[in-house]
Amino acid sequence: MESQDSRTPVITIGLDSGLNFDYSMAELAALVEANNMISVEEIRQSLDRPSPATYFGKGKVQELAEAAIEDDVHTIVVNDELTPSQIRNLEAETQVRIMDRTGLILEIFANRAQSKEAKLQVELAKLQYQLPRLHTSASQRLDQQTGGGGGGFTSRGTGESQTELTKRQIGKQISHVRHELKEIRKSDETQRQQRERNKIPTVALVGYTNAGKSTIMNALVREFGKGEDKQVFVKDMLFATLDTSVRQLVFPDQKKLLLSDTVGFVSKLPTTLVEAFRSTLSEAANADLLLQVVDFSDPNRDEMMATTEQTLKDIGVTDIPMVTIYNKADLTDVDYPREVGDHLVVSAKDPASLELITKVMKEKVFKDYVTVDFLIPFNDGHVVAYLNDHADVKSTEYVAEGTQLTVELSRTDLEHFSQYVISD
Ligand SMILES: Nc1nc2c(ncn2[C@@H]2O[C@H](COP(=O)(O)OP(=O)(O)OP(=O)(O)O)[C@@H](O)[C@H]2O)c(=O)[nH]1
Ligand SMILES: [Mg+2]
């Protein structure tokens, strides 16, 4: 028997401004559940433009206040980012806590963050969200003070300097967090530069949250991860992954690439979060190839793809080649695995699908690899050793002048060893 629902009941409400509204409200309900809450009533209003003071129209706010009493809820979740004064006014009218979409996503991220870096990034986003909102609580305090009959000017003065003080404290905290993040990232940056030098191609998994990115990553690492088979966290929930993981894959033909998995997207991802996670997301920005993973079984997959594309644009990723992976095909009745142009239809739980993903990924990433014949004098035996370790040696023959090899290798390696190429 299921014990009593431990989730906090809330009312969800959104303004229907036309575009993708059903999707947006369904997404809000999922976000609410990801935060251990449950929507017991969904209210909608059609308005062309939100009211500057209360976001919703007067009648709707009244309805909301009554619904809160009737449903006995203490929190109302609004499907948009509100201004500080809208939150304050709505709270005054409804007498319950108003949580906007940004506040909700920040709370989920705060609960999910595991690593030090993720925690600091969420902290930074929260502080930046709070900063312009400080005035609200401070002036509220001020109102209360004045209302309590305190001497007008004096308490106003105190209230204001308090706000200033808190703002300064938050400002200090922000620079402190930034500093700590910078320290942590120094080593990341060194690693990235090292990779740049080694010219190992990188592939980044991107896409909507819960699409199956980490599942694909784990499966590929299990197969091709050389001594780096550390698995990443997979769970059927929103924002399971908040940290970027990078793993090296080495294929049987010696070709190597770096695969990275990172935070999933959701529509209207708060700008403070995108800002704070920019460095984590830069793994995608620096990739040679993006694999966009889509939950093919989700009726909202088109909107989810649009969300992913918009978020990529927001973080400045515009011209990286991309392969779309329609995942979770096992939950649909379409055939898989299939390759249709730049699209793959697969299931991360199916070995043949993983083979197809690997094949396509390699074709794209190693497309400028070339096959050449080398003649390497016996004195330069170290070159033969290097090529055997780092390139796909297709044939080896010993002739009078040295070792003759047919090798498939990257252009960087070719430049290195161009002196040994047999020209005909
Ligand atoms: N049936 C089925 N389930 C899948 C498939 N791929 C992933 N899943 C499940 O979907 C859920 C989410 O998978 P994850 O790999 O954590 O998704 P993600 O894209 O990394 O999600 P975030 O880290 O939240 O962005 C898990 O419960 C997986 O087991 C698939 O091809 N078929
Ligand atoms: Mg994940």
Side-chain angles (χ1 to χ4, degrees):
M1 277 288 287
E2 177 100 3
S3 64
Q4 221 194 336
D5 201 333
S6 66
R7 296 175 292 184
T8 311
V10 300
I11 292 175
T12 45
I13 176 163
L15 265 198
D16 186 354
S17 49
L19 215 61
N20 294 331
F21 186 60
D22 286 336
Y23 159 62
S24 178
M25 287 307 280
E27 194 181 47
L28 184 69
L31 287 168
V32 158
E33 286 179 31
N35 201 36
N36 204 29
M37 306 188 299
I38 177 86
S39 171
V40 292
E41 183 171 358
E42 187 187 283
I43 300 178
R44 299 169 172 224
Q45 179 171 36
S46 293
L47 260 192
D48 289 339
R49 240 179 311 152
S51 142
T54 52
Y55 190 74
F56 302 101
K58 224 178 167 62
K60 215 51 172 181
V61 176
Q62 192 53 40
E63 182 187 331
L64 203 49
E66 283 158 17
I69 296 173
E70 209 159 287
D71 297 338
D72 194 23
V73 305
H74 304 286
T75 306
I76 292 171
V77 182
V78 181
N79 188 29
D80 206 349
E81 184 167 316
L82 302 182
T83 66
S85 67
Q86 284 169 337
I87 293 187
R88 183 181 57 209
N89 293 336
L90 280 172
E91 283 185 343
E93 301 259 348
T94 59
Q95 293 297 310
V96 297
R97 175 185 181 209
I98 299 292
M99 187 181 228
D100 69 358
R101 191 181 168 101
T102 302
L104 172 62
I105 295 177
L106 283 172
E107 216 167 274
I108 299 170
F109 268 61
N111 288 328
R112 297 273 199 268
Q114 293 288 334
S115 73
K116 183 144 194 232
E117 183 172 15
K119 282 183 183 157
L120 286 170
Q121 289 178 139
V122 176
E123 172 79 13
L124 182 60
K126 267 170 93 171
L127 290 169
Q128 280 167 337
Y129 174 71
Q130 275 169 10
L131 198 58
R133 279 164 175 76
L134 262 186
H135 197 67
T136 318
S137 51
S139 55
Q140 248 172 349
R141 245 181 282 127
L142 180 68
D143 291 347
Q144 281 157 8
Q145 278 171 8
T146 330
F153 283 119
T154 341
S155 56
R156 177 168 298 266
T158 323
E160 271 171 4
S161 63
Q162 239 168 15
T163 313
E164 287 307 309
L165 193 69
T166 323
K167 275 199 176 171
R168 249 206 318 278
Q169 278 167 346
I170 293 210
K172 260 192 195 154
Q173 265 173 287
I174 288 179
S175 45
H176 178 71
V177 172
R178 275 194 204 286
H179 179 76
E180 277 197 63
L181 272 172
K182 220 164 138 187
E183 288 297 309
I184 292 185
R185 284 174 186 159
K186 263 187 197 155
S187 62
D188 290 1
E189 195 47 39
T190 323
Q191 281 175 12
R192 231 195 308 268
Q193 282 166 2
Q194 185 68 37
R195 277 188 247 141
E196 272 300 303
R197 264 197 296 280
N198 294 342
K199 284 271 185 259
I200 302 180
T202 59
V203 177
L205 290 156
V206 296
Y208 199 86
T209 177
N210 211 40
K213 298 179 292 300
S214 301
T215 307
I216 292 176
M217 168 96 161
N218 282 343
L220 293 175
V221 167
R222 228 176 283 132
E223 183 90 17
F224 304 112
K226 218 168 190 173
E228 278 193 289
D229 56 354
K230 230 175 87 201
Q231 300 278 295
V232 302
F233 180 59
V234 168
K235 203 172 171 196
D236 187 11
M237 66 182 191
L238 301 188
F239 306 119
T241 307
L242 288 193
D243 291 299
T244 300
S245 324
V246 183
R247 304 277 187 270
Q248 185 171 147
L249 304 185
V250 183
F251 302 104
D253 58 11
Q254 310 278 13
K255 293 196 182 83
K256 288 189 190 106
L257 60 79
L258 291 160
L259 184 65
S260 69
D261 174 35
T262 187
V263 56
F265 303 152
V266 77
S267 65
K268 297 193 253 181
L269 203 58
T271 44
T272 52
L273 268 182
V274 173
E275 217 26 72
F277 277 79
R278 194 172 286 273
S279 141
T280 307
L281 293 167
S282 71
E283 248 355 290
N286 292 322
D288 298 291
L289 176 71
L290 299 179
L291 302 177
Q292 181 188 181
V293 185
V294 180
D295 181 348
F296 192 56
S297 71
D298 196 299
N300 290 317
R301 62 182 188 230
D302 290 341
E303 285 88 350
M304 291 168 164
M305 288 176 72
T307 292
T308 299
E309 268 145 44
Q310 185 55 49
T311 313
L312 286 173
K313 239 186 241 161
D314 291 346
I315 57 171
V317 177
T318 47
D319 48 18
I320 300 175
M322 181 156 85
V323 173
T324 306
I325 298 183
Y326 289 112
N327 189 35
K328 305 199 190 182
D330 55 303
L331 301 178
T332 72
D333 49 19
V334 303
D335 285 341
Y336 66 92
R338 262 192 312 152
E339 181 179 359
V340 192
D342 265 352
H343 298 179
L344 306 182
V345 184
V346 300
S347 162
K349 313 218 157 181
D350 158 55
S353 292
L354 293 160
E355 239 170 74
L356 178 64
I357 295 171
T358 307
K359 177 187 91 96
V360 170
M361 179 169 72
K362 286 180 67 186
E363 274 169 12
K364 301 272 173 200
V365 166
F366 303 116
K367 65 176 182 313
D368 65 346
Y369 270 50
V370 282
T371 303
V372 289
D373 292 327
F374 285 126
L375 177 60
I376 297 152
F378 291 118
N379 278 341
D380 292 346
H382 63 280
V383 175
V384 178
Y386 176 91
L387 290 171
N388 273 315
D389 283 346
H390 294 87
D392 186 11
V393 176
K394 299 193 185 284
S395 72
T396 306
E397 212 180 310
Y398 300 100
V399 295
E401 299 86 352
T403 314
Q404 197 170 313
L405 302 174
T406 303
V407 188
E408 187 183 356
L409 76 182
S410 68
R411 291 201 180 270
T412 317
D413 276 344
L414 177 59
E415 272 166 39
H416 253 99
F417 303 117
S418 56
Q419 63 191 103
Y420 303 113
V421 175
I422 303 173
S423 46
D424 32 31

